[in-house]
Amino acid sequence: LIYPRRCHGCGGVVGRESRYFCWDCLAGIAYVESPFCSRCGDPVPGRIDHDYICYQCSRIRVYFDLARSAVRYEGFVGDALRDLKYNGAVWLSPDLGRLLHAAAVTHYNLLEIDALCYVPMSSKHQRERGYNQAQLLAVALSRIMRKPVRGMGMRRMFMTESQTGLNAAKRMNNVKGAFSSRYERGSSTIMGRHGLCEGLNILLIDDVMTTGATVNECARVLKRAGANCVYVLTVARG
């Protein structure tokens, strides 16, 4: 009664069926639809009647098996993601998790997914922010899918330059070697490659995918740790 929920997009009243996104705003979202790259899910204009591989995926080694996004990084969802990431709006993660779930049902066989993982942050950034938005999204999705969330021993080895404003080649160089897992082959840990990743089909979660450089590097690490398949799912495509 004192603090009624209002739609994060339009400020209107939200019914019982949702939390902070009203039906009118959800209906106006620019969802990612075909045609798009059959590997990374990057949408393209026009009409394509066959499997299409984008230029980026054709010129680099892609470690993830498939990547898909729910919506375009624009409009009120773009604002919500920025508020979640930079302004502490953690209460938006369940609504964004529902968007992730809709995309997961559309593009993946959920029975094949063994566990969810998320893109790690540097310890310094996580201390400053107090949370990892990708982890919050993974937890929100896991509650719907009833799949476990595991860190897979993943960590960010060093702070990287912000990817904003960098082209595809610079983004790849920026995150090269930035992630590791204690379960990678050749690791000095007791478990080695027989760790939590071994033989699993993993759904890797992040908030936004632009060129895919970050998730591709994470997928490389997870494959080296023994993962069978690494699927990528993000709320938005930049």
Side-chain angles (χ1 to χ4, degrees):
L1 294 174
I2 299 175
Y3 298 107
R5 285 181 293 113
R6 295 286 179 175
C7 174
H8 195 76
C10 66
V13 177
V14 179
R16 293 183 178 181
E17 70 283 348
S18 184
R19 289 171 58 89
Y20 295 99
F21 296 166
C22 72
W23 280 117
D24 289 338
C25 286
L26 288 172
I29 290 176
Y31 292 94
V32 175
E33 299 176 337
S34 181
F36 45 66
C37 173
S38 58
R39 192 67 180 273
C40 74
D42 190 18
V44 293
R47 176 177 176 178
I48 299 176
D49 296 321
H50 55 83
D51 285 344
Y52 163 77
I53 300 294
C54 70
Y55 174 73
Q56 178 71 7
C57 288
S58 66
R59 63 185 290 271
I60 65 170
R61 182 172 180 180
V62 180
Y63 292 94
F64 55 79
D65 295 270
L66 205 66
R68 294 292 183 263
S69 302
V71 303
R72 303 273 191 151
Y73 189 47
E74 59 186 47
F76 89 93
V77 175
D79 293 336
L81 285 168
R82 286 186 287 272
D83 285 339
L84 170 65
K85 189 171 184 177
Y86 301 115
N87 298 324
V90 296
W91 54 85
L92 298 177
S93 58
D95 288 282
L96 296 170
R98 290 189 181 94
L99 294 178
L100 281 173
H101 182 248
V105 170
T106 300
H107 300 293
Y108 294 119
N109 180 354
L110 302 191
L111 295 177
E112 294 181 353
I113 305 297
D114 296 308
L116 277 62
C117 187
Y118 51 89
V119 174
M121 293 176 62
S122 69
S123 56
K124 180 178 184 297
H125 276 160
Q126 185 148 349
R127 283 196 304 272
E128 292 173 348
R129 189 171 298 169
Y131 59 91
N132 178 346
Q133 73 279 354
Q135 182 178 9
L136 293 180
L137 292 170
V139 170
L141 178 59
S142 75
R143 289 172 178 165
I144 304 173
M145 290 179 57
R146 297 184 179 180
K147 301 283 185 176
V149 178
R150 298 177 179 173
M152 303 299 175
M154 288 253 292
R155 58 180 177 174
R156 191 181 286 257
M157 299 298 293
F158 52 84
M159 291 181 61
T160 56
E161 179 184 353
S162 172
Q163 297 281 68
T164 304
L166 300 181
N167 60 30
K170 289 182 178 180
R171 283 172 180 258
M172 289 181 60
N173 289 331
N174 190 39
V175 297
K176 187 175 182 180
F179 302 96
S180 72
S181 171
R182 59 170 160 244
Y183 304 119
E184 284 186 75
R185 294 176 177 90
S187 171
S188 60
T189 59
I190 296 175
M191 298 188 74
R193 70 183 292 263
H194 301 291
L196 296 177
C197 302
E198 187 68 24
L200 296 184
N201 296 328
I202 298 172
L203 186 61
L204 178 64
I205 304 299
D206 203 5
D207 53 351
V208 183
M209 179 175 174
T210 305
T211 64
T214 299
V215 293
N216 196 45
E217 183 66 14
C218 288
R220 182 188 69 81
V221 170
L222 290 171
K223 287 290 184 72
R224 281 180 55 84
N228 179 48
C229 290
V230 177
Y231 303 116
V232 176
L233 186 64
T234 68
V235 176
R237 183 77 195 218

